[in-house]
């Protein structure tokens, strides 16, 4: 049953998920199979080549710095508002609403891109079975299933995501271990982590793909209202998720460097982006592994979609409770304790956007997925940089003595790193999207402009609806 507060207000079902469920959501959003098999080959080909494994270590360190202030502040922020809540508490509701707009953009964009990618791979799989249909047939079918699961108790989705994630990790680990046992083309070494390789030309391009593997990071905090002992669960889940993602991706990419050899891995990736990992699996494990990896790629994409669907549902739920959107979005299911109205509204909007792309004849991979991925990374980096600034501002005004590293130094370093990553992505947009069109080059303007629009709406609310504006953020205290 949905929990009723003292004031009779519906809330998400509390005390229903633990560390494992939350970690599953974060890692599922990172989509191990999709990230490793789909995102790292172009990083090898167009970035710093053999230095990709070390690039994951750099990104992991950046997000660990981010996590220091993020988790410290999580003890003071309640509810499902996640980044919106953090920014509002630290920098005020005007900046908070601007951040919420950018976060909504990020999670809408990533879903659109992944639905298109799912449609592409599903179309290829079904065509092999004699059923031919375009990507835009399979994408809405996946959307229906995702909505049905998102309507249920969050723990149900956590179990599904956990099963998918474990299967993905298992097959990739089997491949990694087989490479280690095989010994590698040039012998096993620390190639991939050596500074000369990591900081080689192309690091900026590599970080575009690597940082994208961490999108969905805020899922640790967004389920705070439903977590058991959130003051402990959220920080622990955050660190576990970041470390797990970093070590697994670094190990998997290091292993593939050993398989092809550090001197040839870049050229090999450039020659065969699609078959980069599948060729290694077929050589060392056999055709069965390729078939299984293809299936797990689909489940990886589905798990990713389910994770982002649940994340965005809770953004809508929060905006509904705050009075910033249709109030019904803040309703919860009487039996499952889930934001089911938000799920339906979100699904309708996603379906309309997918329909628009389908009617325009846009290529699902080179346009929909590539462009939406770039937009996602830009928007989420901008929001995360704002959160780091908000952490510093929050603890400056909060009573009580705390370590300077936690409240100032780590968040400041994270702000610098995330802002630098935003600039790197902007400078690599043509490579990331495969296009230098005006629409692509305007993506950073769209992100910043939408944030400014959110702030302008907040200023209007302050003048036109002061009572509503005064209540903003109270649900997070």
């Amino acid at each position: 049953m949905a929990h009723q507060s003292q004031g009779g207000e519906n809330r998400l079902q509390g005390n229903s998920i633990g560390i494992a469920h939350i970690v599953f959501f974060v890692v599922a959003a990172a989509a191990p199979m999709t990230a490793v098999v789909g995102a790292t080959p172009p990083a090898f080909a167009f970035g710093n080549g053999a230095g990709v494994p070390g690039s994951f270590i750099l990104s992991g360190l950046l997000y660990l710095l981010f996590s220091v202030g993020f988790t410290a502040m999580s003890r003071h922020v309640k509810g499902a508002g996640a980044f919106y809540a953090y920014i509002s508490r630290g920098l005020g509701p005007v900046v908070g609403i601007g951040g919420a707009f950018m976060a909504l953009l990020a999670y809408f964009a990533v879903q659109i891109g992944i639905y298109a990618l799912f449609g592409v791979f599903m179309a290829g799989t079904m065509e092999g079975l004699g059923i031919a249909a375009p990507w835009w047939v399979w994408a809405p079918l996946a959307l229906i299933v995702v909505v049905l699961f998102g309507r249920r108790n969050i723990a149900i989705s956590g179990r599904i995501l956990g099963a998918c994630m474990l299967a993905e990790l298992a097959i990739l680990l089997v491949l990694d271990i087989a490479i280690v046992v095989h010994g590698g083309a040039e012998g096993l070494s620390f190639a991939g982590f050596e500074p000369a390789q990591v900081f080689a030309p192309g690091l900026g391009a590599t970080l575009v793909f690597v940082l994208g593997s961490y999108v969905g990071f805020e899922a640790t905090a967004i389920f705070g209202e439903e977590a058991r002992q959130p003051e402990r669960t959220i920080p622990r889940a955050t660190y576990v998720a970041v470390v797990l993602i970093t070590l697994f991706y670094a190990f998997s990419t290091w292993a593939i460097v050993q398989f092809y050899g550090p001197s040839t891995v870049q050229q090999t990736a450039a020659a065969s982006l699609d078959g980069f990992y599948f060729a290694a699996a077929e050589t060392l494990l056999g055709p069965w592994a390729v078939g299984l990896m293809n299936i797990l790629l689909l489940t990886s994409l589905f798990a990713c979609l389910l994770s982002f669907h649940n994340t965005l549902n809770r953004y809508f739920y929060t905006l509904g409770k705050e009075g910033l959107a249709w109030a019904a979005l803040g309703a919860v299911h009487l039996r499952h304790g889930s934001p089911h109205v938000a799920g339906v509204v979100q699904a309708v909007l996603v379906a309309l956007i997918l329909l628009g792309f389908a009617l325009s004849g846009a290529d699902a991979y080179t346009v929909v997925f590539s462009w939406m991925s770039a937009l996602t990374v830009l928007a989420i980096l901008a929001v995360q940089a704002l959160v780091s600034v908000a952490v510093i501002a929050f603890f400056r005004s909060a009573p009580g003595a705390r370590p300077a590293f936690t409240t100032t130094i780590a968040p400041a370093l994270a702000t610098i790193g995330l802002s630098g990553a935003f600039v790197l992505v902007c400078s690599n947009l043509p490579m990331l999207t495969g296009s230098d069109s005006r629409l692509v080059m305007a993506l950073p303007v769209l992100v910043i402009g939408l944030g400014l629009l959110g702030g302008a709406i907040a200023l209007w609310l302050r003048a036109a609806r002061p009572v509503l504006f005064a209540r903003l953020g109270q649900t997070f205290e």
Side-chain angles (χ1 to χ4, degrees):
M1 297 290 290
H3 173 71
Q4 298 287 326
S5 68
Q6 292 180 349
E9 181 183 18
N10 282 335
R11 296 178 68 87
L12 298 176
Q13 190 174 65
N15 200 37
S16 61
I17 55 176
I19 292 175
H21 287 118
I22 299 173
V23 171
F24 287 156
F25 272 102
V26 176
V27 179
M33 182 66 70
T34 302
V36 171
V37 175
T40 64
F44 278 112
F46 309 123
N48 57 352
V52 170
S55 302
F56 274 106
I57 300 298
L58 288 179
S59 298
L61 291 174
L62 172 60
Y63 278 115
L64 284 174
L65 281 173
F66 175 87
S67 299
V68 171
F70 182 65
T71 57
M73 190 171 172
S74 71
R75 295 177 173 86
H76 306 274
V77 178
K78 303 183 185 301
F83 286 164
Y84 164 59
Y86 285 72
I87 298 170
S88 294
R89 289 294 305 276
L91 300 174
V94 172
V95 183
I97 294 174
F101 273 43
M102 291 191 291
L104 287 171
L105 175 64
Y107 288 103
F108 260 113
V110 72
Q111 283 194 93
I112 298 303
I114 296 172
Y115 274 114
L117 194 61
F118 178 90
V120 169
F121 285 113
M122 190 67 179
T125 300
M126 298 306 291
E127 190 172 347
L129 300 175
I131 303 175
W135 71 271
W136 44 262
V137 169
W138 304 112
L141 293 179
L143 175 60
I144 293 171
V145 178
V146 165
V147 171
L148 291 176
F149 280 118
R151 181 182 178 88
R152 303 296 298 273
N153 178 276
I154 190 66
I156 302 296
S157 294
R159 296 187 192 105
I160 296 168
L161 294 173
C164 292
M165 182 194 74
L166 291 175
E168 295 174 50
L169 295 178
I171 187 61
L172 288 171
L173 277 175
V174 168
L175 175 59
D176 296 341
I177 292 170
I179 292 173
V180 172
V181 172
H182 178 262
E186 300 173 18
L188 299 180
S189 68
F190 286 103
F193 299 112
E194 297 172 2
Q197 295 171 328
V198 176
F199 294 98
L203 173 61
T206 293
L207 288 178
V208 172
F209 297 98
V210 169
L211 289 169
S213 300
Y214 290 84
V215 173
F217 182 78
E218 67 170 299
T220 55
I222 206 166
F223 300 110
E225 192 170 305
E226 298 153 280
R228 292 188 292 269
Q229 297 182 307
E231 67 282 353
R232 294 184 179 181
T233 301
I234 299 306
R236 291 177 181 177
T238 302
Y239 285 116
V240 169
V242 173
V243 171
L244 179 61
I245 290 171
T246 300
L247 294 181
F248 182 78
Y249 288 173
F251 179 60
S252 293
T253 50
W254 170 82
I256 204 69
V257 168
Q258 307 309 304
F259 177 78
Y260 288 111
S263 65
T264 61
V265 66
Q266 187 165 33
Q267 295 84 349
T268 305
S272 179
L273 292 174
D274 295 340
F276 188 59
Y277 281 89
F278 291 113
E282 185 167 15
T283 299
L284 296 178
L285 303 177
W288 68 269
V290 176
L292 181 58
M293 287 175 70
N294 272 309
I295 294 172
L296 290 176
L297 185 58
L298 289 173
T299 63
S300 174
L301 290 165
F302 177 80
C304 189
L305 288 168
L306 183 56
S307 179
F308 285 125
H309 176 81
N310 279 291
T311 298
L312 195 49
N313 281 357
R314 280 144 186 82
Y315 262 107
F316 277 2
Y317 162 80
T318 299
L319 293 177
K321 285 186 64 178
E322 288 275 276
L324 294 171
W326 184 33
L329 293 174
V332 297
H333 197 282
L334 291 177
R335 179 181 178 186
H336 302 299
S338 62
H340 61 115
V341 177
V344 173
V345 171
Q346 180 202 162
V348 170
L349 294 173
V350 168
L352 290 174
I353 297 171
L354 289 172
L355 177 62
F357 276 120
L359 292 176
S360 69
D363 183 84
Y365 192 89
T366 61
V367 175
V368 185
F369 175 70
S370 296
W371 291 23
M372 292 299 102
S373 296
L375 184 56
T376 298
V377 174
L378 285 169
I380 206 66
L381 284 173
V383 176
Q384 289 169 344
L386 274 180
V387 170
S388 293
V389 175
V391 170
I392 298 172
F394 174 80
F395 283 113
R396 281 192 173 183
S397 60
R402 296 173 181 83
F405 181 78
T406 300
T407 61
T408 305
I409 298 173
L413 292 174
T415 302
I416 295 170
L418 292 164
S419 301
F422 183 90
V423 173
L424 281 173
V425 175
C426 291
S427 64
N428 286 277
L429 277 177
M431 183 216 65
L432 179 62
T433 62
S435 171
D436 58 357
S437 70
R438 291 183 178 179
L439 284 175
V440 168
M441 302 312 294
L443 293 182
V445 178
L446 173 61
V447 170
I448 296 172
L450 195 61
L452 293 175
L453 175 62
I457 292 175
L459 291 173
W460 174 82
L461 285 173
R462 187 168 66 183
R465 303 183 64 183
V467 176
L468 171 62
F469 185 84
R471 291 201 308 265
L472 294 180
Q474 292 182 6
T475 56
F476 310 132
E477 298 176 356

